[in-house]
Structures are given as C-alpha cells and as structure tokens.
C-alpha cells in the first residue's frame, strides 16, 4: 500500500455540541482539504464512516462543500468504520478508478451506553450481556487472576491518558486526575471505574488520500500508508478473544492479533519498528490487553510495561499521546480516523507538548462490536 499517501488531515473536536452532524462533518472535511492544499472540486470519490447517522449522510454532509456528482459512499463496521472507509479509498486508488479521495468519519451519538439493539441478539440482551462494561470487566478480572494485573495497573493507564489529554485541544476531557481520584471514582462494573472508561459523543475527522504520483504533483507534506487492514473476530462475535489461556488455544487468535499481524506483514515492519501508537481504550483495561496483542510485550507482561513507563510519551513505546478515547470520547464513525489524524500530526512533528521526539512510524488500532478490528500503519 506504500503507493498511497495521506495528503491532508483535519478534525472537528470531539465532545458534545448543539450543532448538526452535517456541520460537524463538513468542518473536518474542509480542514482536511485545506491541509492538503486541494479544492473540493478536485476530489474524485468520498467515503463516510458512520454508525448512528441516517442513510446517505455522506452526501448530506459533503453537499455543504458544493454540489457534486462523484460517488459518495457510507460505510459501517462498528468502531472500525473509519479503517474500513480508509481501506476502500486505498483500494479505489490502487484500482486506478481515482487518484484523489476523501475519507470522512462523523458521528453524533446519544448519551449513555450504546443501544444494544444495534449490536446484540435478543438472547444476549435478555441475559444481561449487552452492556459493554460487563464483558470488558470479565476480561479484566480473568487477566488479573491469571497474570497478576492489578487495579493500580489499570488506573495507571487512565492516569497516563488523562495527563496526555491536557495538551490535546480536540479532546472532550482535558483534565489531569491523580491516581487516587481515578481509583476512587465510582465503580461502573468491577474493576472498571468511571475515570477509566470512555464516553460516546460527537465529532468528526477526515483525511485526503492520494496516489503517490498525484501527491508528487501537488506537493505538500504527504504521509505514506504502509498498511491498512481490517478483520473480524473468527468465532467470538462480541467478546475480545486473544490467543491466550483465556481462549484455551493459540489456534484461535483474536481480531487484534490477526489484524495487527496482517498490518505488520504488509508494512514489512514489527512492533519494535513503531515509534508511537494510538489504540482502542474504550476502557483502560482494553489498552492493557492490546499491549500484549499488538506485540509491545509478551503475554501477561503488560503490568511490567506499565510500571516501567514504557508507554509514556517519553517511553520506548508511547501509546495514546492524544489522551485516547478515555479523554477524547468515542464518536464511533470518527474514532479510527481521529487516531489517524493524531499519527499524521506526530509524524509531521506538529503535536506540541504531546510530541513523540523523532517519530517516523506510527500505528493506529481500533476494535469494536462484532469483533471488527482495523489497524493502520503510517510512515514518513
């Protein structure tokens, strides 16, 4: 995929707003166009990632930039929607159908937990398995039992992400909390607490994707897409399922492990080659597990990684420099593209006080309902 680049990136802050989803999305789209130095009339196709918005939302949003007859396609794959939309744009360019494409993620979500009827079967809802924190907490407790992971380890992840968010003007929550405040925040579902979990909200992010040939003519500051992969859980539709003793067999790897391996292979890189990571932290334990599944450490070693400060901005493997979803919130359709925008900023050296020094390669990871997982690797 190294023949395709990101030419421009834009974002509308994540939070809760009285403005329409059309305005939120158009703001991010216009910012991406401006960053790329191209006009809306030059775009040959567009993809919208969304989950909660109505049909043809992409056309409704982008009509604000001007009338057009280009194909505008809405894409939905739960939290991985942005990765799937980006992958479709890459495929369009590699097929020769287009050489300048917009990818936009937009969402405007209700407060509270996601509507279970959109994701789960009736029997799951009736059994009380339809609220995300219930199975997040089961995973956490099993990991704690098997590997000695502690409440403090989980709190340290939230502490890091909240601290990083102070320097991110696009985050919903920009406040540092002490470990004591996090550990004493209200319990959502044992062991996960309020300050260790993300909130659904509104937001948008966009990128302009181009062939290397088109980008060379346009100039600017392109970032190469080394890989963009998507997969779903092979067996478990709604539960995280890594290849460890909790799933009984290494022949049943979970979606993060599968998609991460695909992305590393296609990029010709490994976890030690990545300078910075943006990963799914719908809850702080999710980030703990992802350290192991993406190969930042061995199975059961995430606690040590946290204690050593490896995932801090100044550490060997910085994770969630933006503050992660815990601080930004998660407008589902914009989630992955928001991560991609952060990685672009890092690789360009434009992230200010949250900048990872010398970052040349970055990875964005997202994991959601149905086991939908997307991993994108970028390099400069």
């Amino acid at each position: 995929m190294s023949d395709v680049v990101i030419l421009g990136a834009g974002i509308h802050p994540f939070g809760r707003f009285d403005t329409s989803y059309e305005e939120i999305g158009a703001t991010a789209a216009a910012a991406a166009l401006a960053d790329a130095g191209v006009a809306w009339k030059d775009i040959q196709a567009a993809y919208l990632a969304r989950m909660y918005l109505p049909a043809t939302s992409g056309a409704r949003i982008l009509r604000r930039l001007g009338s057009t007859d280009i194909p505008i396609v809405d894409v939905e794959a739960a939290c991985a929607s942005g990765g799937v939309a980006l992958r479709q744009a890459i495929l369009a360019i590699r097929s020769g159908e287009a050489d300048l494409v917009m990818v936009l993620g937009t969402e405007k979500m209700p407060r509270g937990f996601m509507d279970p009827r959109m994701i789960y079967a009736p029997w799951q809802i009736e059994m009380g398995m339809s609220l995300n924190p219930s199975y997040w907490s089961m995973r956490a407790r099993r990991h704690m039992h098997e590997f000695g992971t502690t409440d403090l380890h989980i709190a340290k992840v939230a502490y890091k992400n909240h601290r990083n968010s102070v320097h991110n003007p696009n985050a919903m929550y920009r406040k540092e909390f002490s470990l004591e405040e996090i550990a004493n925040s209200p319990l959502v579902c044992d062991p996960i607490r309020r300050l260790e979990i993300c909130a659904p909200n509104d937001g948008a992010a966009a990128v302009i994707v181009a062939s290397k040939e088109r980008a060379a003519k346009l100039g600017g500051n392109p970032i190469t897409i080394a890989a963009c992969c998507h997969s779903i859980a092979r067996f478990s539709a709604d539960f995280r399922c890594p290849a460890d003793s909790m799933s009984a067999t290494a022949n049943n790897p979970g979606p993060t492990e599968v998609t991460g391996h695909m992305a590393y292979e296609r990029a010709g890189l490994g976890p030690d080659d990545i300078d910075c990571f943006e990963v799914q932290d719908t809850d702080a334990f999710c980030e703990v597990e992802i350290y192991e599944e993406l190969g930042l450490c061995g199975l059961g070693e995430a606690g040590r990684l946290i204690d050593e400060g490896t995932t801090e901005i100044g550490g060997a493997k910085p994770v969630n420099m933006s503050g992660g979803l815990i601080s930004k919130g998660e407008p589902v359709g914009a989630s992955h593209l928001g991560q991609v925008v952060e990685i672009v900023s890092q690789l360009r050296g434009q992230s200010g006080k949250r900048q990872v020094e010398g970052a040349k390669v970055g990875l964005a990871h997202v994991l959601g309902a149905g086991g939908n997982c997307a991993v994108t690797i970028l390099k400069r």
Side-chain angles (χ1 to χ4, degrees):
M1 292 183 176
S2 59
D3 52 347
V4 181
V5 303
I6 291 176
L7 195 59
I11 192 167
H12 181 289
F14 290 8
R16 293 195 177 96
F17 307 97
D18 292 331
T19 51
S20 67
Y21 75 82
E22 292 95 338
E23 183 174 341
I24 291 170
T27 298
L33 289 169
D35 185 52
V38 300
W40 170 235
K41 64 182 178 59
D42 298 321
I43 300 298
Q44 298 158 343
Y47 295 87
L48 171 74
R50 56 91 176 148
M51 184 173 176
Y52 277 76
L53 301 185
T56 71
S57 290
R60 301 183 198 198
I61 293 168
L62 295 174
R63 191 169 289 122
R64 293 189 170 219
L65 302 182
S67 298
T68 181
D69 57 2
I70 65 170
I72 299 176
V73 181
D74 288 13
V75 174
E76 188 276 313
C79 299
S81 298
V84 174
L86 179 58
R87 183 172 178 270
Q88 291 302 117
I90 293 166
L91 292 174
I93 291 171
R94 298 193 78 195
S95 74
E97 286 293 312
D99 60 12
L100 193 62
V101 179
M102 174 181 286
V103 186
L104 170 65
T106 306
E107 208 73 81
K108 193 169 181 67
M109 300 181 67
R111 291 174 180 267
F113 297 123
M114 297 172 69
D115 184 350
R117 294 168 297 178
M118 295 183 68
I119 305 171
Y120 299 98
W123 67 267
Q124 291 171 305
I125 297 172
E126 291 298 321
M127 290 183 68
M129 299 167 63
S130 61
L131 293 180
N132 295 339
S134 63
Y135 56 87
W136 297 346
S137 65
M138 285 189 276
R139 296 290 306 170
R141 275 294 170 204
R142 187 59 183 265
H143 198 276
M144 295 166 84
H145 170 74
E146 297 208 3
F147 305 116
T149 309
T150 66
D151 290 291
L152 181 58
H153 287 133
I154 298 171
K156 282 183 175 181
V157 171
Y159 172 73
K160 167 183 68 71
N161 291 354
H162 283 298
R163 188 177 67 242
N164 290 350
S165 75
V166 172
H167 305 299
N168 183 1
N170 297 307
M172 180 177 182
Y173 302 115
R174 298 181 62 196
K175 180 180 178 181
E176 183 174 350
F177 294 92
S178 69
L179 277 171
E180 185 178 11
E181 287 176 308
I182 292 167
N184 291 324
S185 62
L187 199 62
V188 176
C189 194
D190 190 25
I192 298 167
R193 296 181 176 275
R194 181 186 291 172
L195 292 178
E196 299 170 338
I197 198 168
C198 81
N201 60 2
D202 312 336
V207 293
I208 306 301
V209 185
S211 66
K212 266 195 171 173
E213 293 78 7
R214 182 69 183 272
K217 295 176 183 176
L218 292 168
N221 191 2
I223 298 296
T224 298
I225 302 173
C228 182
C229 301
H230 168 245
S231 73
I232 63 171
R234 189 176 301 171
F235 300 111
S236 175
D238 300 304
F239 288 77
R240 301 169 189 159
C241 189
D244 59 24
S245 56
M246 290 185 279
S247 58
T249 171
N251 294 320
N252 179 22
T256 292
E257 187 176 351
V258 169
T259 316
H261 178 76
M262 289 168 55
Y264 288 140
E265 188 174 65
R266 292 184 186 180
L269 300 168
D272 289 338
D273 300 310
I274 309 298
D275 298 312
C276 55
F277 299 79
E278 284 284 315
V279 307
Q280 185 86 3
D281 64 327
T282 37
D283 65 283
F285 173 72
C286 182
E287 182 174 322
V288 174
E289 225 174 9
I290 287 165
Y291 295 161
E292 299 173 3
E293 294 170 22
L294 285 178
L296 278 68
C297 63
L299 179 63
E301 296 179 355
R304 173 187 58 80
L305 204 72
I306 294 164
D307 288 337
E308 292 175 352
T310 304
T311 58
E312 302 281 347
I313 287 179
K317 294 181 171 69
V319 178
N320 284 338
M321 304 73 62
S322 67
L325 305 182
I326 286 174
S327 302
K328 294 186 300 182
E330 188 184 24
V332 176
S335 179
H336 189 62
L337 291 170
Q339 295 174 326
V340 169
V341 169
E342 175 67 19
I343 297 296
V344 168
S345 173
Q346 290 286 340
L347 301 189
R348 289 176 171 177
Q350 298 172 341
S351 297
K353 292 184 178 181
R354 65 183 192 280
Q355 180 66 46
V356 174
E357 186 176 353
K360 295 181 179 179
V361 184
L363 180 150
H365 158 277
V366 70
L367 174 65
N372 275 281
C373 181
V375 174
T376 300
I377 298 177
L378 306 179
K379 64 182 182 179
R380 65 176 173 92

